[in-house]
Amino acid sequence: MAYKLYYYDIRGGAEPIRMILSYGGVQFEDIRAPMFPLPPKLPTEIKERATWGTIPLMEFEGKKLNQSLAITRYFAKKFDLVGSNDFEAAQCDEYVDTVVDYVKPWVPILMEQDDVKRKGLEQEQKVKSKEQYMDKFEQIVKDNGGRFLVGNTLSWADIYLAHVLNSGELNHGIRFIDEYPALKSMFENVMNTPGIKEWMEKRPDTKY
Ligand SMILES: N[C@@H](CCC(=O)N[C@@H](CS)C(=O)NCC(=O)O)C(=O)O
């Protein structure tokens, strides 16, 4: 297969790439290194292929592209998911960077092995996340007509946020969309989009 995506066997930073490739109708080889036991060890063969020794790594048409956001943005551009002008493209970047900031404090919580401690940390982080991010994302979608974060079409910012909302539910049992109607509508738009819908139905079921 001409397109090869290397990552761990989790959703993580590769999932928006998988979603966008599926949206674009690209057949790709989804190469997954084992995540367990923790901490995971990247197989030498993959580490040496990746320019910076990290994944995700994408190989296609004789080219190599590293760094999750560079790869995601490249395919988002290819499939017209970056808004309709330079300013909207920058807004997509802003929202994706903000989603990345939002995710950061959840990672150590996910790795917490003590169930009681993890549940407590999740509830604390949920309150902080609502105030700092979700209330604001809800308002942005609402002010923009209630369906998209940017402009009047689907963008990679919608896909990125929808992926993170979905993983937040799978990883922590937290369903922000039940509390935010505009985000729910944006989320459902993304998940019902041809290509993405089929990917979500057929993708491997993984712990993270
Ligand atoms: N900024 C990079 C970070 C990549 C990164 O740290 N990837 C981790 C997996 S999530 C990795 O490759 N770890 C394996 C290792 O460092 O050996 C990106 O977004 O692609």
Side-chain angles (χ1 to χ4, degrees):
M1 219 177 271
Y3 288 72
K4 291 185 181 189
L5 174 63
Y6 297 83
Y7 196 57
Y8 282 123
D9 186 20
I10 57 171
R11 296 179 301 276
E15 197 61 15
I17 303 171
R18 298 180 183 122
M19 291 166 84
I20 290 173
L21 290 172
S22 304
Y23 171 82
V26 175
Q27 300 284 315
F28 61 99
E29 205 175 325
D30 194 14
I31 300 158
R32 294 166 176 254
M35 178 74 184
F36 299 97
L38 293 175
K41 182 163 174 4
L42 195 55
T44 313
E45 195 272 321
I46 298 181
K47 202 159 183 72
E48 285 175 355
R49 287 181 99 89
T51 310
W52 315 108
T54 61
I55 47 175
L57 158 69
M58 188 88 213
E59 289 177 345
F60 58 103
E61 297 163 357
K63 299 190 263 275
K64 198 177 266 199
L65 195 59
N66 303 264
Q67 285 290 347
S68 57
L69 292 186
I71 302 167
T72 320
R73 189 182 291 107
Y74 174 81
F75 286 104
K77 270 191 192 153
K78 212 171 179 58
F79 302 126
D80 290 329
L81 292 167
V82 291
S84 52
N85 55 48
D86 287 349
F87 184 69
E88 286 188 2
Q91 283 184 304
C92 291
D93 290 343
E94 174 189 335
Y95 298 151
V96 170
D97 284 345
T98 305
V99 175
V100 170
D101 289 346
Y102 154 78
V103 169
K104 267 182 206 142
W106 287 97
V107 176
I109 297 176
L110 192 59
M111 294 298 137
E112 173 57 59
Q113 298 301 306
D114 181 320
D115 287 353
V116 176
K117 209 167 161 196
R118 194 179 59 254
K119 293 261 170 293
L121 291 169
E122 283 169 340
Q123 289 316 308
E124 258 177 48
Q125 193 58 34
K126 181 184 174 186
V127 173
K128 287 189 203 158
S129 299
K130 281 173 64 93
E131 202 180 291
Q132 194 176 357
Y133 298 108
M134 294 306 157
D135 292 356
K136 293 175 184 171
F137 275 130
E138 173 74 2
Q139 197 59 46
I140 289 167
V141 176
K142 218 162 151 181
D143 291 347
N144 196 39
R147 281 165 56 82
F148 306 109
L149 279 163
V150 177
N152 54 13
T153 51
L154 183 74
S155 74
W156 72 299
D158 298 313
I159 295 173
Y160 213 97
L161 179 54
H163 146 65
V164 160
L165 289 168
N166 172 251
S167 262
E169 179 176 355
L170 296 171
N171 293 341
H172 304 285
I174 292 174
R175 258 178 76 86
F176 284 115
I177 57 171
D178 289 341
E179 302 174 45
Y180 294 99
L183 288 184
K184 183 165 195 234
S185 149
M186 183 280 302
F187 178 87
E188 285 170 356
N189 280 337
V190 171
M191 295 306 177
N192 286 316
T193 297
I196 295 179
K197 188 175 186 335
E198 290 74 25
W199 169 254
M200 297 306 284
E201 284 163 5
K202 74 168 192 200
R203 74 181 182 181
D205 192 11
T206 55
K207 184 165 183 202
Y208 302 134

